[in-house]
Amino acid sequence: MRNAASAPNEDRHGRPSRLAFLSALLSLTAAFVAVGSTIPLFNVYRAEDGFTNAGISMTVVAYSAATISTLLVLGRLSNHVGRRPAALASLGLLLLGCLVLLNVHHIDVLIGGRLLMGLGAGLASSSLTAYVVDTAPAKPTWLASVASSQTVMLGLAVGAIASGALVQFGPWPRDLVYLISAGLLLVSTVLIAISPDTVAPVPGAWRSLRPTVRVPARVRPLLAVTAAVLLSTWATGAFYQAFVPALVENQLRTRSPLVLGLVFAAYMAPSALGAPLSGRFAPAGAQRIGMAGFCAGWTGIIAAIATGALPLFIAATIVAGAGQGIAISGTTRGLLHTGSQADRAPVFAVVYLLSYTGATVPGLISGQLSHSLSLPKIALGYGASALVATLFTVMTARNPQTATGRHEAPAQRTVPSS
C-alpha cells in the first residue's frame, strides 16, 4: 500500500516543477555548505581553545550520530507530511546550529552545534534528496541520481573552500562563515516555502516515527555492495573531517585554513564531477570502476603521508574523490531503478543511514585510538578498510536488472518522471 500520494507539482508548461527542482537543489547545497563550513575552523579551535584530536573526532561522531538518529525516526516522514514541511524543518535546524557555532570556546558548544547540524542534515538527507528526485527533469537520464547523490558532496566542498578563504583572509574569522551560511539557509527557506510540494499529506505520520529500516524487496539483493561502497567512502569523509586538519599541519607542514579547505574539497568536489561519468556504465560497472579508483587514491594518500608530499596528497585525494563519485552515483542509480515515488524517501533514508554509520563507527574507534596511535597509523587503517571494500565490490557487484530478473539498457531512465 502506498504511503505517499502525488500532489500536482507543475503547470502544463512545467514551470513550478522547475522551480521546485531548483529550490530543492539549492537548498540541499546550502544545507551541506553549512555543514562543511566548520571543517577549516577545527585547527583554529585546536590552536586557540586547546581542542584535541579526540575532541574534534567526537564532534564528527556527534554530528553523524544525530544524523543517523534522525534518519531512523524521521526518514519516512516526508512521505506523510509532504516534502516541503520536512525540508523547512531541516533548514531551521541547520540555521539554529549555525547560530550556536557563533560562540565556540568550549568543546561542548562545538559538539552541540554540530549535533544540531546533524539533526538538520539527517532530515534534509531524506526529504530534500527525495524532493530533488521527485522534480528532476526527465533528461538527461542521469540527472536525478547524480543530483541526489552528489549535491551533498558539492555543498561540503564549497563550504570548506569558502570557509577556509574567509578564515584566512576575511574579518571575524570565527563568525563570518556561519553568518553567511545562515543567510543562505534563510534564502533557501524562502525558496522552498514558495515551491509546490510533490507529496500530498496522508495519514500515518505518527506511525512513521517508529524507528524502522525498510527498503523495497527489489533493493535488498543490492544492499551488501551498497553497504561496502557507502561505509568505506563516508568513513574516508569522516577521516578528512576529524584527522586531516591535524595531519595537514603536522605531517604536511602547513597551517593555512585555505589549504585545509582545499584539501577537504579535493576529496568532495571530484566526487560531484566524477558522478556523471558513471552514467556511461551499468550500475555494477560504475561501482567496480569507482571503487578501484577510490582504492588507488588511498594508496597515494598513504604514500603522501609517509613522504610528507602535499602535492601528492592532494592529487591522490582527487583520484579517491572522483572514484567515490562514480561508485556512489552507480549505487544510487541501482537503488532507484524502477522505484516508485513512495520508495524514494525510505531508500534515501537507508542510503544515508549506511553513509553516516560509515562516518560514525570508524570515527568513534579511531578517535579513541588517537590517544595511543599516530595519525599515519590511523590513516593506514582507513586505507586497509578501503581495500577490503574494493575487493568485495569488484567480486560481488550486480546490476539491478540481474537482481530483479529484468533486463534494461544502462542508459534507460532509472526513476519515473514526476
Side-chain angles (χ1 to χ4, degrees), residues 81-345:
V81 302
R83 306 291 192 226
R84 189 170 60 180
L88 291 172
S90 72
L91 295 171
L93 287 166
L94 286 159
L95 177 59
L96 184 58
C98 287
L99 297 179
V100 169
L101 292 174
L102 286 172
N103 187 33
V104 174
H105 293 286
H106 192 278
I107 191 66
D108 290 343
V109 176
L110 180 58
I111 290 174
R114 293 294 287 177
L115 187 128
L116 283 169
M117 284 191 164
L119 295 174
L123 191 52
S125 296
S126 60
S127 61
L128 278 173
T129 48
Y131 202 6
V132 167
V133 176
D134 288 350
T135 55
K139 293 182 180 180
T141 57
W142 47 261
L143 181 59
S145 63
V146 171
S148 59
S149 65
Q150 298 305 314
T151 300
V152 171
M153 305 301 180
L154 181 62
L156 289 169
V158 171
I161 293 175
S163 177
L166 290 171
V167 170
Q168 187 163 341
F169 301 113
W172 318 311
R174 296 172 66 112
D175 301 324
L176 183 57
V177 65
Y178 297 129
L179 293 173
I180 292 175
S181 295
L184 291 173
L185 292 168
L186 286 172
V187 171
S188 299
T189 299
V190 172
L191 289 173
I192 293 295
I194 64 175
S195 297
D197 211 325
T198 57
V199 173
V202 295
W206 286 109
R207 289 193 302 274
S208 76
L209 301 183
R210 290 179 298 183
T212 56
V213 178
R214 180 187 64 82
V215 294
R218 63 179 177 79
V219 167
R220 292 168 194 162
L222 308 176
L223 285 181
V225 172
T226 296
V229 170
L230 296 177
L231 290 173
S232 60
T233 55
W234 279 68
T236 298
F239 168 79
Y240 270 72
Q241 291 184 57
F243 297 107
V244 166
L247 198 62
V248 166
E249 181 175 341
N250 299 334
Q251 305 295 131
L252 305 176
R253 296 180 291 278
T254 177
R255 295 185 176 182
S256 167
L258 178 57
V259 170
L260 176 56
L262 289 170
V263 167
F264 181 74
Y267 181 63
M268 295 299 175
S271 177
L273 297 175
L277 297 177
S278 73
R280 298 177 179 271
F281 309 99
Q287 288 172 324
R288 292 187 179 101
I289 292 169
M291 289 301 289
F294 174 70
C295 189
W298 253 113
T299 302
I301 290 167
I302 292 171
I305 293 171
T307 60
L310 181 60
L312 175 59
F313 187 85
I314 293 175
T317 297
I318 291 171
V319 172
Q324 167 189 253
I326 295 170
I328 291 177
S329 184
T331 298
T332 305
R333 279 193 297 124
L335 295 176
L336 292 176
H337 177 72
T338 69
S340 68
Q341 187 183 54
D343 289 340
R344 292 170 190 165

Side-chain angles (χ1 to χ4, degrees), residues 13-25:
H13 302 294
R15 284 189 292 267
S17 182
R18 286 196 293 271
L19 171 64
F21 176 67
L22 291 175
S23 297
L25 197 63

Side-chain angles (χ1 to χ4, degrees), residues 303-388:
I305 293 171
T307 60
L310 181 60
L312 175 59
F313 187 85
I314 293 175
T317 297
I318 291 171
V319 172
Q324 167 189 253
I326 295 170
I328 291 177
S329 184
T331 298
T332 305
R333 279 193 297 124
L335 295 176
L336 292 176
H337 177 72
T338 69
S340 68
Q341 187 183 54
D343 289 340
R344 292 170 190 165
V347 164
F348 279 117
V350 170
V351 165
Y352 285 105
L353 180 62
L354 288 170
S355 299
Y356 284 107
T357 298
T360 303
V361 176
L364 186 60
I365 294 171
S366 56
Q368 295 302 311
L369 291 177
S370 67
H371 294 292
S372 56
L373 294 180
S374 66
L375 291 180
K377 289 182 178 179
I378 290 173
L380 191 62
Y382 277 92
S385 69
L387 175 61
V388 171

